[in-house]
Amino acid sequence: MGNSALRAHVETAQKTGVFQLKDRGLTEFPSELQKLSSNLRTIDLSNNKIDSLPPVLIGKFTLLKSLSLNNNKLTVLPDELCNLKKLETLSLNNNHLRELPSTFGQLSALKTLSISGNQLGALPPQLCSLRHLDVVDLSKNQIRSIPDTVGELQAIELNLNQNQISQISIKISCCPRLKVLRLEENCLELSMLPQSILSDSQICLLAVEGNLFEIKKLRELEGYDKYMERFTATKKKFA
């Protein structure tokens, strides 16, 4: 795209605090945004061909609340991204990410994280340090198991649909705020689903269609009636 068009977008963003440039075939993060690092609240560069983020520049957007880079070609995230202490929403769907930076737990304001359609092979333990995390979407990755560290997760909703999960730690029942757990289209046998999810957790919506068991078998498990009480109570609340 031409420089004048980019300049116009930068000028608008200077006034609004929002920089949106989608579907433009960009191959790199626009360096022109450097001059806006102190006033941008929102950046959306989705549907481009960006394969990396400039480490020094990305760490300077200290007031940024929302960053969307869906449908790009990112393979890694720089540690400097984790300097964004005001970031509340991060969307990285449909990239090529295999892991998150070790410092990811420093994104202390993060509430919504979407990394659907990447190549994560494990549930990132860094997520468990994020105290304000509400919604996590890790669907369509290559996650095979849910480890014990999940018990520290503060999220209200966890989407793990369309992974390769065959094992779940019993600690998932200890998640203090987890209300919605989506596990559709994984590799779960019914015997691998901890019964404490039904009998002894906060979870009131458990989605497990498309695994290696029939849903009617789930209804026969001990604790299913307790789960249904929570499910019905929540349904009434929102009706």
Side-chain angles (χ1 to χ4, degrees):
M1 72 178 283
N3 273 348
S4 56
L6 183 55
R7 253 201 316 274
H9 278 277
V10 169
E11 281 169 23
T12 305
Q14 214 149 10
K15 297 170 194 152
T16 61
V18 177
F19 185 84
Q20 191 175 60
L21 207 55
K22 305 195 288 188
D23 301 294
R24 296 302 179 99
L26 295 179
T27 54
E28 53 187 42
F29 191 92
S31 56
E32 291 81 355
L33 292 188
Q34 186 149 358
K35 60 182 82 159
L36 302 180
S37 61
S38 57
N39 65 343
L40 279 186
R41 305 285 195 284
T42 300
I43 295 176
D44 188 349
L45 293 165
S46 297
N47 308 338
N48 282 293
K49 297 173 182 174
I50 298 167
D51 61 7
S52 64
L53 298 177
V56 176
L57 177 54
I58 200 69
K60 287 184 175 170
F61 294 98
T62 48
L63 296 181
L64 201 64
K65 288 196 162 187
S66 174
L67 176 60
S68 297
L69 288 154
N70 300 321
N71 301 305
N72 275 284
K73 298 187 171 185
L74 296 172
T75 53
V76 291
L77 300 173
D79 286 345
E80 287 80 357
L81 177 70
C82 307
N83 295 342
L84 307 183
K85 300 288 188 266
K86 293 196 185 302
L87 195 67
E88 295 178 3
T89 303
L90 179 58
S91 293
L92 298 161
N93 299 328
N94 303 319
N95 279 281
H96 308 294
L97 298 169
R98 293 177 181 273
E99 58 184 7
L100 299 180
S102 58
T103 49
F104 200 80
Q106 293 173 15
L107 290 172
S108 50
L110 201 62
K111 292 180 180 175
T112 303
L113 175 64
S114 301
I115 322 183
S116 176
N118 278 275
Q119 296 167 20
L120 297 178
L123 186 81
Q126 303 92 310
L127 302 186
C128 300
S129 329
L130 298 168
R131 300 284 116 195
H132 299 289
L133 202 55
D134 291 334
V135 179
V136 182
D137 185 356
L138 299 173
S139 60
K140 300 181 183 173
N141 276 282
Q142 296 163 15
I143 298 168
R144 293 173 183 273
S145 64
I146 302 178
D148 288 349
T149 48
V150 74
E152 303 287 315
L153 191 70
Q154 297 291 318
I156 297 168
E157 177 170 344
L158 177 59
N159 185 344
L160 289 160
N161 289 346
Q162 294 179 282
N163 275 279
Q164 299 162 18
I165 295 166
S166 59
Q167 288 187 310
I168 302 179
S169 166
I170 196 167
K171 298 280 188 191
I172 198 156
S173 313
C174 305
C175 292
R177 302 200 303 152
L178 190 62
K179 297 273 195 277
V180 178
L181 177 59
R182 301 186 187 279
L183 288 162
E184 293 178 337
E185 296 180 48
N186 276 283
C187 307
L188 279 170
E189 301 272 4
L190 190 56
S191 59
M192 288 290 125
L193 193 70
Q195 287 193 16
S196 55
I197 289 179
L198 300 173
S199 60
D200 194 24
S201 78
Q202 304 286 323
I203 295 164
C204 48
L205 177 60
L206 175 66
V208 287
E209 286 79 6
N211 278 281
L212 306 178
F213 58 86
E214 294 175 45
I215 292 298
K216 64 180 183 188
K217 297 281 187 197
L218 177 70
R219 297 181 189 129
E220 294 165 9
L221 287 184
E222 197 178 329
Y224 188 78
D225 51 341
K226 280 191 174 178
Y227 161 69
M228 281 311 293
E229 281 171 22
R230 296 193 303 272
F231 176 79
T232 309
T234 307
K235 218 170 164 187
K236 278 183 186 156
K237 208 192 301 186
F238 292 110

